[in-house]
Amino acid sequence: LEDYETEFVEVWPENEQALEVAQLIGTKWVYPSMGGVPHGLRWEAMYPLMDRRGLDADAWNDLHECLTVIEAEALATMREFAPKHKDSKT
């Protein structure tokens, strides 16, 4: 169990909604045909999740911007920890 312990992260109130939607992402990633690190989110699958929040235009745009940041950081982290391929020239 100690391998799975994580420290608690405080979430600011203005980020709670973005975190709630981000936790619903699950399988909504676009993967390369041969597997590997995703290219990004399937936004056509994300928009209905966002729409169900009943937000006004400004709040919806803010949520979209927050999720875009989450997507970029998640992709950077996945790329960082992805298995590295050896260069065939060496």
Side-chain angles (χ1 to χ4, degrees):
L1 268 178
E2 63 272 0
D3 291 340
Y4 298 100
E5 289 180 17
T6 60
E7 57 186 80
F8 289 95
V9 176
E10 182 179 348
V11 178
W12 293 345
E14 62 267 23
N15 295 329
E16 286 179 0
Q17 187 158 225
L19 178 61
E20 289 172 7
V21 175
Q23 290 173 328
L24 299 173
I25 290 173
T27 61
K28 293 160 187 66
W29 292 98
V30 177
Y31 284 90
S33 60
M34 298 298 287
V37 176
H39 294 299
L41 285 174
R42 290 183 44 236
W43 284 98
E44 74 279 7
M46 293 301 298
Y47 292 142
L49 295 175
M50 296 166 62
D51 289 344
R52 293 191 66 180
R53 301 261 167 198
L55 304 172
D56 65 27
D58 288 337
W60 194 96
N61 289 334
D62 183 60
L63 176 59
H64 185 266
E65 184 177 332
C66 289
L67 291 170
T68 301
V69 170
I70 290 170
E71 174 191 36
E73 291 302 317
L75 289 170
T77 301
M78 286 186 264
R79 286 184 188 116
E80 178 182 349
F81 290 98
K84 307 300 184 244
H85 300 288
K86 295 186 180 204
D87 190 330
S88 59
K89 295 179 182 178
T90 56

Coordinates of all heavy atoms in Angstrom, one line a residue:
L1 N 0.8 -1.2 0.0 CA 0.0 0.0 0.0 C 0.8 1.3 0.0 O 0.4 2.3 -0.6 CB -0.9 0.0 1.2 CG -2.3 -0.6 1.0 CD1 -3.1 -0.6 2.3 CD2 -3.1 0.1 -0.1
E2 N 2.0 1.2 0.7 CA 2.8 2.4 0.7 C 3.3 2.9 -0.7 O 3.6 4.1 -0.9 CB 4.0 2.2 1.6 CG 5.0 1.2 1.2 CD 4.7 -0.2 1.7 OE1 3.6 -0.4 2.4 OE2 5.4 -1.1 1.4
D3 N 3.3 2.0 -1.7 CA 3.6 2.4 -3.0 C 2.6 3.3 -3.6 O 2.8 4.0 -4.6 CB 3.8 1.2 -3.9 CG 5.1 0.4 -3.5 OD1 5.9 0.9 -2.9 OD2 5.1 -0.8 -3.9
Y4 N 1.4 3.2 -3.1 CA 0.3 4.0 -3.7 C -0.1 5.2 -2.9 O -1.0 5.9 -3.3 CB -1.0 3.1 -3.9 CG -0.7 1.9 -4.9 CD1 -0.4 0.7 -4.4 CD2 -0.6 2.2 -6.2 CE1 -0.1 -0.4 -5.3 CE2 -0.4 1.1 -7.1 CZ -0.1 -0.1 -6.6 OH 0.2 -1.1 -7.5
E5 N 0.5 5.4 -1.8 CA 0.2 6.6 -1.0 C 0.7 7.8 -1.7 O 1.7 7.9 -2.3 CB 1.0 6.5 0.4 CG 0.4 5.5 1.3 CD 1.1 5.4 2.6 OE1 1.8 6.4 3.0 OE2 0.9 4.4 3.3
T6 N -0.2 8.8 -1.7 CA 0.2 10.1 -2.3 C -0.1 11.2 -1.3 O -0.9 11.0 -0.4 CB -0.7 10.4 -3.6 OG1 -2.1 10.4 -3.2 CG2 -0.4 9.3 -4.6
E7 N 0.5 12.3 -1.5 CA 0.2 13.4 -0.6 C -1.1 14.1 -1.1 O -1.5 14.0 -2.3 CB 1.3 14.4 -0.6 CG 1.7 15.0 -2.0 CD 3.0 15.9 -1.9 OE1 4.1 15.3 -1.8 OE2 2.8 17.1 -1.9
F8 N -1.8 14.7 -0.2 CA -3.0 15.4 -0.5 C -2.7 16.7 -1.2 O -1.8 17.4 -0.8 CB -3.9 15.6 0.7 CG -4.5 14.3 1.2 CD1 -3.8 13.7 2.3 CD2 -5.6 13.8 0.7 CE1 -4.4 12.5 2.7 CE2 -6.2 12.7 1.2 CZ -5.5 12.0 2.2
V9 N -3.5 17.0 -2.2 CA -3.3 18.3 -3.0 C -4.5 19.1 -2.7 O -5.6 18.7 -3.0 CB -3.1 18.0 -4.5 CG1 -3.0 19.3 -5.2 CG2 -1.9 17.1 -4.7
E10 N -4.3 20.3 -2.3 CA -5.4 21.3 -2.1 C -5.8 21.8 -3.5 O -5.0 22.2 -4.3 CB -5.0 22.4 -1.2 CG -6.1 23.4 -0.9 CD -5.6 24.5 0.0 OE1 -4.5 24.4 0.6 OE2 -6.4 25.5 0.1
V11 N -7.1 21.8 -3.7 CA -7.7 22.3 -4.9 C -8.4 23.6 -4.6 O -9.3 23.7 -3.8 CB -8.7 21.3 -5.6 CG1 -9.3 21.9 -6.8 CG2 -7.9 20.0 -5.9
W12 N -8.0 24.7 -5.3 CA -8.7 26.0 -5.1 C -10.1 25.9 -5.6 O -10.4 25.2 -6.6 CB -8.0 27.1 -5.8 CG -6.6 27.3 -5.2 CD1 -6.1 26.9 -4.0 CD2 -5.6 28.1 -5.9 NE1 -4.8 27.4 -3.9 CE2 -4.4 28.1 -5.0 CE3 -5.4 28.7 -7.1 CZ2 -3.3 28.7 -5.3 CZ3 -4.3 29.4 -7.4 CH2 -3.2 29.4 -6.5
P13 N -11.1 26.6 -5.0 CA -12.5 26.5 -5.4 C -12.7 26.8 -6.8 O -13.5 26.1 -7.5 CB -13.1 27.5 -4.5 CG -12.2 27.7 -3.3 CD -10.8 27.4 -3.8
E14 N -12.0 27.7 -7.4 CA -12.2 28.0 -8.8 C -11.7 26.9 -9.8 O -12.0 27.0 -11.0 CB -11.5 29.4 -9.2 CG -10.0 29.4 -9.0 CD -9.5 29.9 -7.7 OE1 -10.3 29.8 -6.7 OE2 -8.4 30.3 -7.6
N15 N -11.0 25.9 -9.2 CA -10.5 24.8 -10.1 C -11.3 23.5 -9.8 O -11.0 22.5 -10.5 CB -9.0 24.6 -9.8 CG -8.2 25.8 -10.3 OD1 -8.6 26.4 -11.2 ND2 -7.1 26.0 -9.6
E16 N -12.2 23.5 -8.9 CA -12.9 22.3 -8.5 C -13.7 21.7 -9.7 O -13.7 20.5 -9.9 CB -13.9 22.5 -7.3 CG -13.1 22.7 -6.0 CD -14.0 22.9 -4.8 OE1 -15.3 23.0 -5.0 OE2 -13.5 23.1 -3.7
Q17 N -14.4 22.6 -10.4 CA -15.2 22.1 -11.5 C -14.4 21.4 -12.6 O -14.7 20.4 -13.1 CB -16.1 23.2 -12.1 CG -17.1 22.7 -13.1 CD -18.2 23.6 -13.3 OE1 -19.3 23.2 -13.4 NE2 -18.0 24.9 -13.4
A18 N -13.2 22.1 -12.9 CA -12.3 21.5 -13.9 C -11.8 20.2 -13.5 O -11.7 19.2 -14.3 CB -11.2 22.5 -14.2
L19 N -11.5 20.0 -12.2 CA -11.0 18.8 -11.7 C -12.0 17.7 -11.8 O -11.8 16.6 -12.2 CB -10.5 18.9 -10.3 CG -10.0 17.7 -9.6 CD1 -8.8 17.1 -10.4 CD2 -9.6 17.9 -8.1
E20 N -13.3 18.1 -11.4 CA -14.4 17.1 -11.5 C -14.6 16.6 -12.9 O -14.7 15.4 -13.1 CB -15.7 17.7 -11.0 CG -15.7 18.0 -9.5 CD -17.0 18.8 -9.1 OE1 -17.9 19.0 -10.0 OE2 -17.0 19.1 -7.9
V21 N -14.5 17.5 -13.9 CA -14.7 17.0 -15.3 C -13.4 16.2 -15.7 O -13.6 15.2 -16.4 CB -14.9 18.2 -16.2 CG1 -15.0 17.8 -17.7 CG2 -16.3 18.9 -15.9
A22 N -12.3 16.7 -15.3 CA -11.0 16.0 -15.7 C -11.0 14.5 -15.2 O -10.5 13.6 -15.8 CB -9.8 16.7 -15.2
Q23 N -11.6 14.3 -14.0 CA -11.7 13.0 -13.5 C -12.6 12.1 -14.3 O -12.6 10.9 -14.2 CB -12.1 13.0 -12.0 CG -11.1 13.6 -11.1 CD -11.5 13.8 -9.7 OE1 -12.7 14.1 -9.4 NE2 -10.6 13.7 -8.8
L24 N -13.5 12.7 -15.1 CA -14.4 11.9 -16.0 C -13.7 11.6 -17.4 O -14.3 10.9 -18.2 CB -15.7 12.7 -16.3 CG -16.5 13.0 -15.1 CD1 -17.7 14.0 -15.5 CD2 -17.1 11.8 -14.4
I25 N -12.5 12.1 -17.6 CA -11.9 11.9 -18.9 C -11.7 10.4 -19.3 O -12.1 10.0 -20.4 CB -10.5 12.6 -19.0 CG1 -10.7 14.1 -19.0 CG2 -9.7 12.2 -20.2 CD1 -9.5 14.9 -18.9
G26 N -11.2 9.6 -18.4 CA -11.1 8.2 -18.6 C -10.6 7.8 -20.0 O -9.5 8.0 -20.3
T27 N -11.5 7.3 -20.8 CA -11.2 6.7 -22.1 C -11.3 7.8 -23.2 O -11.4 7.4 -24.4 CB -12.1 5.5 -22.4 OG1 -13.5 6.0 -22.4 CG2 -11.9 4.4 -21.4
K28 N -11.4 9.0 -22.9 CA -11.7 10.0 -23.9 C -10.4 10.6 -24.5 O -10.3 11.8 -24.8 CB -12.6 11.1 -23.4 CG -14.0 10.6 -23.1 CD -14.7 11.4 -22.1 CE -16.0 10.8 -21.7 NZ -15.9 9.6 -21.0
W29 N -9.4 9.8 -24.7 CA -8.1 10.2 -25.3 C -8.0 9.6 -26.7 O -8.6 8.6 -27.0 CB -7.0 9.6 -24.5 CG -6.8 10.2 -23.2 CD1 -7.3 9.7 -22.0 CD2 -6.2 11.4 -22.8 NE1 -6.9 10.5 -20.9 CE2 -6.3 11.6 -21.4 CE3 -5.6 12.4 -23.6 CZ2 -5.8 12.7 -20.8 CZ3 -5.1 13.6 -22.9 CH2 -5.2 13.7 -21.5
V30 N -7.3 10.3 -27.6 CA -7.1 9.9 -29.0 C -5.7 9.2 -29.0 O -4.7 9.9 -28.7 CB -7.1 11.1 -30.0 CG1 -6.7 10.6 -31.4 CG2 -8.4 11.8 -30.0
Y31 N -5.7 7.9 -29.2 CA -4.4 7.2 -29.2 C -3.9 7.0 -30.6 O -4.7 6.8 -31.6 CB -4.6 5.8 -28.5 CG -4.6 5.9 -27.0 CD1 -5.9 6.1 -26.4 CD2 -3.5 5.9 -26.3 CE1 -5.9 6.2 -25.0 CE2 -3.5 6.0 -24.9 CZ -4.8 6.2 -24.3 OH -4.8 6.3 -22.9
P32 N -2.6 6.9 -30.8 CA -2.1 6.5 -32.1 C -2.5 5.1 -32.5 O -2.8 4.3 -31.6 CB -0.5 6.5 -31.9 CG -0.3 7.3 -30.7 CD -1.5 7.2 -29.9
S33 N -2.6 4.8 -33.8 CA -3.1 3.5 -34.2 C -2.3 2.3 -33.7 O -2.8 1.2 -33.5 CB -3.1 3.4 -35.7 OG -1.8 3.6 -36.3
M34 N -1.0 2.5 -33.4 CA -0.2 1.4 -32.9 C 0.0 1.5 -31.4 O 0.9 0.9 -30.8 CB 1.2 1.4 -33.6 CG 1.1 1.2 -35.1 SD 0.4 -0.4 -35.5 CE 1.8 -1.5 -35.0
G35 N -0.8 2.3 -30.7 CA -0.7 2.5 -29.3 C 0.4 3.5 -28.9 O 1.0 4.2 -29.7
G36 N 0.6 3.7 -27.6 CA 1.6 4.7 -27.2 C 0.9 5.8 -26.4 O -0.2 5.7 -26.0
V37 N 1.6 7.0 -26.4 CA 1.1 8.2 -25.7 C 0.0 8.8 -26.6 O 0.1 8.9 -27.8 CB 2.2 9.2 -25.5 CG1 1.7 10.5 -24.9 CG2 3.3 8.5 -24.6
P38 N -1.1 9.2 -25.9 CA -2.2 9.8 -26.7 C -1.8 11.1 -27.4 O -0.8 11.7 -27.0 CB -3.3 10.1 -25.6 CG -2.9 9.3 -24.4 CD -1.4 9.1 -24.5
H39 N -2.5 11.5 -28.4 CA -2.3 12.7 -29.2 C -3.0 13.9 -28.4 O -2.6 15.0 -28.5 CB -2.9 12.7 -30.6 CG -2.2 11.7 -31.5 ND1 -0.8 11.8 -31.8 CD2 -2.6 10.6 -32.1 CE1 -0.5 10.8 -32.6 NE2 -1.6 10.1 -32.8
G40 N -4.1 13.6 -27.7 CA -4.8 14.6 -27.0 C -6.2 14.0 -26.7 O -6.5 12.8 -26.8
L41 N -7.1 14.9 -26.2 CA -8.4 14.5 -25.8 C -9.3 14.4 -27.1 O -9.1 15.2 -28.0 CB -9.0 15.5 -24.8 CG -8.5 15.4 -23.4 CD1 -9.0 16.5 -22.6 CD2 -8.8 14.1 -22.8
R42 N -10.3 13.6 -27.0 CA -11.4 13.6 -28.0 C -12.4 14.6 -27.5 O -13.3 14.4 -26.7 CB -12.1 12.2 -28.0 CG -11.2 11.2 -28.6 CD -11.9 9.8 -28.7 NE -13.2 9.9 -29.2 CZ -14.3 9.4 -28.5 NH1 -14.2 8.8 -27.4 NH2 -15.5 9.5 -29.0
W43 N -12.2 15.8 -28.0 CA -13.1 16.9 -27.5 C -14.5 16.7 -27.8 O -15.4 17.2 -27.1 CB -12.5 18.3 -28.0 CG -11.3 18.7 -27.2 CD1 -10.0 18.5 -27.6 CD2 -11.3 19.2 -25.9 NE1 -9.2 18.9 -26.6 CE2 -10.0 19.4 -25.6 CE3 -12.3 19.6 -25.0 CZ2 -9.6 19.9 -24.3 CZ3 -11.9 20.2 -23.8 CH2 -10.5 20.3 -23.5
E44 N -14.8 16.0 -28.9 CA -16.2 15.8 -29.2 C -16.9 14.9 -28.2 O -18.1 14.9 -28.0 CB -16.4 15.1 -30.6 CG -16.0 13.7 -30.7 CD -14.5 13.4 -30.8 OE1 -13.7 14.3 -30.8 OE2 -14.2 12.2 -31.0
A45 N -16.1 14.2 -27.4 CA -16.6 13.4 -26.2 C -16.7 14.3 -25.0 O -17.4 14.0 -24.0 CB -15.8 12.2 -26.0
M46 N -15.8 15.3 -24.9 CA -15.7 16.1 -23.7 C -16.8 17.2 -23.7 O -17.3 17.5 -22.6 CB -14.3 16.8 -23.7 CG -13.2 15.9 -23.4 SD -13.3 15.0 -21.9 CE -13.2 16.3 -20.7
Y47 N -17.2 17.7 -24.8 CA -18.2 18.8 -24.9 C -19.5 18.4 -24.2 O -20.1 19.2 -23.4 CB -18.4 19.3 -26.3 CG -17.1 20.0 -26.8 CD1 -16.8 19.9 -28.2 CD2 -16.3 20.8 -26.0 CE1 -15.7 20.5 -28.7 CE2 -15.2 21.5 -26.5 CZ -14.9 21.3 -27.8 OH -13.8 22.0 -28.3
P48 N -20.0 17.2 -24.4 CA -21.3 16.9 -23.7 C -21.1 16.8 -22.2 O -22.0 17.3 -21.5 CB -21.6 15.5 -24.3 CG -21.0 15.4 -25.6 CD -19.7 16.2 -25.4
L49 N -20.0 16.4 -21.7 CA -19.7 16.4 -20.3 C -19.7 17.9 -19.8 O -20.3 18.1 -18.7 CB -18.4 15.8 -19.9 CG -18.3 14.3 -20.2 CD1 -16.8 13.8 -20.0 CD2 -19.2 13.5 -19.4
M50 N -19.1 18.7 -20.5 CA -19.1 20.1 -20.2 C -20.5 20.8 -20.2 O -20.9 21.5 -19.4 CB -18.1 20.9 -21.0 CG -16.7 20.4 -20.9 SD -15.6 21.0 -22.2 CE -15.6 22.7 -21.9
D51 N -21.2 20.4 -21.3 CA -22.5 21.0 -21.5 C -23.5 20.7 -20.4 O -24.4 21.5 -20.0 CB -23.1 20.6 -22.9 CG -22.4 21.2 -24.0 OD1 -21.7 22.2 -23.8 OD2 -22.5 20.7 -25.2
R52 N -23.4 19.5 -19.8 CA -24.3 19.0 -18.8 C -24.2 19.8 -17.5 O -25.0 19.7 -16.6 CB -24.1 17.5 -18.5 CG -24.5 16.7 -19.7 CD -24.5 15.2 -19.4 NE -25.6 15.0 -18.4 CZ -25.9 13.9 -17.9 NH1 -25.2 12.8 -18.2 NH2 -26.9 13.7 -17.0
R53 N -23.1 20.6 -17.4 CA -22.9 21.5 -16.3 C -23.8 22.7 -16.3 O -24.0 23.3 -15.2 CB -21.5 22.0 -16.2 CG -20.5 20.8 -16.1 CD -20.0 20.6 -14.8 NE -19.3 19.4 -14.6 CZ -19.1 18.8 -13.4 NH1 -19.6 19.4 -12.4 NH2 -18.5 17.7 -13.4
G54 N -24.5 23.0 -17.4 CA -25.4 24.1 -17.5 C -24.8 25.5 -17.2 O -25.4 26.3 -16.6
L55 N -23.6 25.6 -17.7 CA -22.8 26.9 -17.5 C -23.2 28.0 -18.5 O -23.6 27.7 -19.6 CB -21.3 26.6 -17.6 CG -20.8 25.5 -16.7 CD1 -19.3 25.2 -17.1 CD2 -20.9 25.9 -15.3
D56 N -23.0 29.2 -18.0 CA -23.2 30.3 -19.0 C -21.9 30.3 -19.9 O -21.0 29.6 -19.6 CB -23.4 31.7 -18.3 CG -22.2 32.1 -17.4 OD1 -21.1 31.8 -17.7 OD2 -22.5 32.9 -16.5
A57 N -21.9 31.2 -20.9 CA -20.8 31.2 -21.9 C -19.5 31.4 -21.3 O -18.5 30.8 -21.6 CB -21.1 32.2 -23.0
D58 N -19.4 32.4 -20.4 CA -18.1 32.7 -19.8 C -17.6 31.6 -18.9 O -16.4 31.2 -19.0 CB -18.2 34.0 -18.9 CG -18.3 35.3 -19.8 OD1 -17.9 35.2 -20.9 OD2 -18.8 36.3 -19.2
A59 N -18.4 31.0 -18.1 CA -18.0 29.9 -17.3 C -17.6 28.6 -18.1 O -16.7 27.9 -17.8 CB -19.1 29.5 -16.3
W60 N -18.4 28.4 -19.2 CA -18.1 27.3 -20.1 C -16.7 27.5 -20.7 O -15.9 26.6 -20.8 CB -19.1 27.2 -21.2 CG -19.1 25.9 -21.9 CD1 -19.9 24.8 -21.7 CD2 -18.3 25.6 -23.1 NE1 -19.6 23.8 -22.6 CE2 -18.6 24.3 -23.5 CE3 -17.4 26.3 -23.8 CZ2 -18.0 23.6 -24.6 CZ3 -16.7 25.6 -24.9 CH2 -17.1 24.3 -25.3
N61 N -16.4 28.7 -21.2 CA -15.1 29.0 -21.8 C -14.0 28.9 -20.8 O -12.9 28.4 -21.1 CB -15.1 30.4 -22.4 CG -16.0 30.5 -23.7 OD1 -16.2 29.5 -24.4 ND2 -16.5 31.7 -23.9
D62 N -14.2 29.3 -19.6 CA -13.2 29.1 -18.5 C -13.0 27.7 -18.2 O -11.8 27.3 -18.1 CB -13.7 29.8 -17.2 CG -12.7 29.8 -16.1 OD1 -11.5 30.3 -16.3 OD2 -13.0 29.2 -15.1
L63 N -14.0 26.8 -18.2 CA -13.8 25.4 -18.0 C -13.0 24.8 -19.1 O -12.1 24.0 -18.9 CB -15.2 24.7 -17.8 CG -15.2 23.2 -17.7 CD1 -14.4 22.8 -16.5 CD2 -16.6 22.7 -17.6
H64 N -13.4 25.2 -20.3 CA -12.6 24.7 -21.5 C -11.2 25.1 -21.4 O -10.3 24.2 -21.7 CB -13.3 25.3 -22.8 CG -12.7 24.7 -24.0 ND1 -11.6 25.4 -24.7 CD2 -12.9 23.6 -24.7 CE1 -11.3 24.6 -25.8 NE2 -12.1 23.6 -25.8
E65 N -10.9 26.3 -21.1 CA -9.5 26.7 -20.9 C -8.7 25.9 -19.9 O -7.6 25.5 -20.1 CB -9.4 28.2 -20.6 CG -8.0 28.8 -20.5 CD -8.0 30.2 -20.3 OE1 -9.0 31.0 -20.6 OE2 -7.0 30.7 -19.7
C66 N -9.4 25.7 -18.7 CA -8.8 24.9 -17.7 C -8.5 23.5 -18.1 O -7.4 22.9 -17.8 CB -9.7 24.9 -16.4 SG -9.8 26.4 -15.5
L67 N -9.5 22.9 -18.8 CA -9.3 21.5 -19.3 C -8.2 21.4 -20.4 O -7.5 20.4 -20.5 CB -10.6 20.9 -19.8 CG -11.7 20.7 -18.8 CD1 -13.0 20.4 -19.4 CD2 -11.2 19.6 -17.8
T68 N -8.0 22.5 -21.2 CA -6.9 22.5 -22.1 C -5.6 22.5 -21.4 O -4.7 21.8 -21.9 CB -7.1 23.8 -23.0 OG1 -8.3 23.7 -23.7 CG2 -6.0 23.8 -24.1
V69 N -5.5 23.2 -20.3 CA -4.2 23.2 -19.5 C -4.0 21.8 -18.9 O -2.9 21.3 -19.0 CB -4.3 24.3 -18.4 CG1 -3.1 24.1 -17.5 CG2 -4.3 25.7 -19.1
I70 N -5.1 21.2 -18.4 CA -5.0 19.9 -17.8 C -4.5 18.9 -18.9 O -3.7 18.0 -18.7 CB -6.3 19.5 -17.2 CG1 -6.5 20.3 -15.9 CG2 -6.3 18.0 -16.8 CD1 -7.9 20.1 -15.3
E71 N -5.1 19.0 -20.1 CA -4.8 18.1 -21.2 C -3.3 18.2 -21.5 O -2.6 17.2 -21.7 CB -5.6 18.4 -22.4 CG -5.2 17.7 -23.7 CD -5.9 18.2 -24.9 OE1 -6.1 19.4 -25.0 OE2 -6.2 17.4 -25.8
A72 N -2.8 19.5 -21.7 CA -1.4 19.7 -22.0 C -0.5 19.1 -21.0 O 0.6 18.5 -21.3 CB -1.1 21.2 -22.2
E73 N -0.8 19.3 -19.7 CA 0.1 18.8 -18.6 C 0.1 17.3 -18.5 O 1.1 16.7 -18.3 CB -0.3 19.5 -17.3 CG 0.1 21.0 -17.2 CD 1.6 21.2 -17.5 OE1 2.4 20.5 -16.9 OE2 1.9 22.2 -18.2
A74 N -1.1 16.7 -18.7 CA -1.2 15.3 -18.7 C -0.4 14.7 -19.9 O 0.3 13.7 -19.7 CB -2.7 14.9 -18.8
L75 N -0.5 15.3 -21.0 CA 0.3 14.7 -22.2 C 1.8 14.9 -21.9 O 2.5 13.9 -22.2 CB -0.1 15.5 -23.5 CG -1.5 15.2 -24.0 CD1 -1.9 16.1 -25.1 CD2 -1.6 13.7 -24.5
A76 N 2.2 16.0 -21.4 CA 3.6 16.2 -21.1 C 4.1 15.1 -20.1 O 5.2 14.5 -20.2 CB 3.9 17.6 -20.5
T77 N 3.3 14.8 -19.1 CA 3.6 13.8 -18.1 C 3.7 12.4 -18.7 O 4.6 11.7 -18.4 CB 2.7 13.9 -16.9 OG1 2.7 15.2 -16.3 CG2 3.0 12.8 -15.8
M78 N 2.7 12.1 -19.5 CA 2.7 10.8 -20.2 C 3.9 10.6 -21.1 O 4.5 9.5 -21.1 CB 1.4 10.6 -20.9 CG 0.2 10.3 -20.1 SD -1.3 9.9 -21.0 CE -2.1 11.5 -21.1
R79 N 4.2 11.7 -21.8 CA 5.4 11.6 -22.7 C 6.7 11.4 -21.8 O 7.6 10.7 -22.2 CB 5.5 12.8 -23.5 CG 4.5 12.9 -24.6 CD 4.7 14.1 -25.6 NE 3.6 14.1 -26.5 CZ 2.7 15.1 -26.5 NH1 2.8 16.1 -25.7 NH2 1.7 15.1 -27.4
E80 N 6.8 12.1 -20.7 CA 8.0 12.0 -19.9 C 8.2 10.6 -19.4 O 9.3 10.1 -19.3 CB 7.8 13.0 -18.7 CG 9.0 12.9 -17.7 CD 8.8 13.9 -16.5 OE1 7.8 14.7 -16.5 OE2 9.6 13.7 -15.6
F81 N 7.1 9.9 -19.0 CA 7.2 8.6 -18.4 C 7.0 7.4 -19.4 O 7.0 6.3 -19.0 CB 6.2 8.4 -17.2 CG 6.7 9.3 -16.1 CD1 6.1 10.5 -15.8 CD2 7.7 8.8 -15.2 CE1 6.5 11.3 -14.8 CE2 8.1 9.6 -14.1 CZ 7.5 10.9 -13.9
A82 N 6.8 7.8 -20.7 CA 6.6 6.7 -21.7 C 7.9 6.0 -21.9 O 9.0 6.6 -21.8 CB 6.1 7.4 -23.0
P83 N 7.9 4.7 -22.3 CA 9.1 4.0 -22.6 C 9.8 4.7 -23.7 O 9.2 5.1 -24.7 CB 8.6 2.6 -23.0 CG 7.2 2.5 -22.5 CD 6.7 3.9 -22.4
K84 N 11.1 4.8 -23.6 CA 12.0 5.4 -24.6 C 12.4 4.3 -25.6 O 12.8 3.3 -25.2 CB 13.2 6.1 -23.9 CG 12.8 7.0 -22.8 CD 12.0 8.2 -23.3 CE 11.7 9.1 -22.1 NZ 10.4 9.3 -21.7
H85 N 12.4 4.7 -26.9 CA 12.8 3.8 -27.9 C 14.3 4.1 -28.2 O 14.7 5.2 -28.3 CB 12.0 4.0 -29.2 CG 10.5 3.7 -29.0 ND1 10.1 2.4 -28.8 CD2 9.4 4.5 -28.9 CE1 8.7 2.4 -28.6 NE2 8.4 3.7 -28.7
K86 N 15.0 3.0 -28.4 CA 16.4 3.2 -28.8 C 16.6 3.6 -30.2 O 15.8 3.2 -31.1 CB 17.2 1.8 -28.5 CG 17.2 1.5 -27.1 CD 18.1 0.2 -26.9 CE 18.0 -0.1 -25.4 NZ 19.2 -0.8 -25.0
D87 N 17.5 4.5 -30.5 CA 17.8 5.0 -31.8 C 18.4 3.8 -32.6 O 19.4 3.2 -32.2 CB 18.7 6.1 -31.8 CG 18.9 6.8 -33.1 OD1 18.7 6.2 -34.1 OD2 19.1 8.0 -33.1
S88 N 17.8 3.5 -33.8 CA 18.3 2.4 -34.6 C 19.6 2.7 -35.2 O 20.3 1.8 -35.8 CB 17.3 2.0 -35.6 OG 17.0 3.1 -36.5
K89 N 20.1 3.9 -35.2 CA 21.4 4.3 -35.9 C 22.6 4.0 -35.0 O 23.7 4.0 -35.5 CB 21.4 5.7 -36.3 CG 20.3 6.1 -37.3 CD 20.4 7.5 -37.6 CE 19.3 7.9 -38.7 NZ 19.2 9.3 -39.0
T90 N 22.4 3.7 -33.7 CA 23.5 3.5 -32.9 C 23.8 2.1 -32.6 O 23.1 1.2 -32.8 CB 23.3 4.3 -31.5 OG1 22.1 3.9 -30.9 CG2 23.4 5.8 -31.8

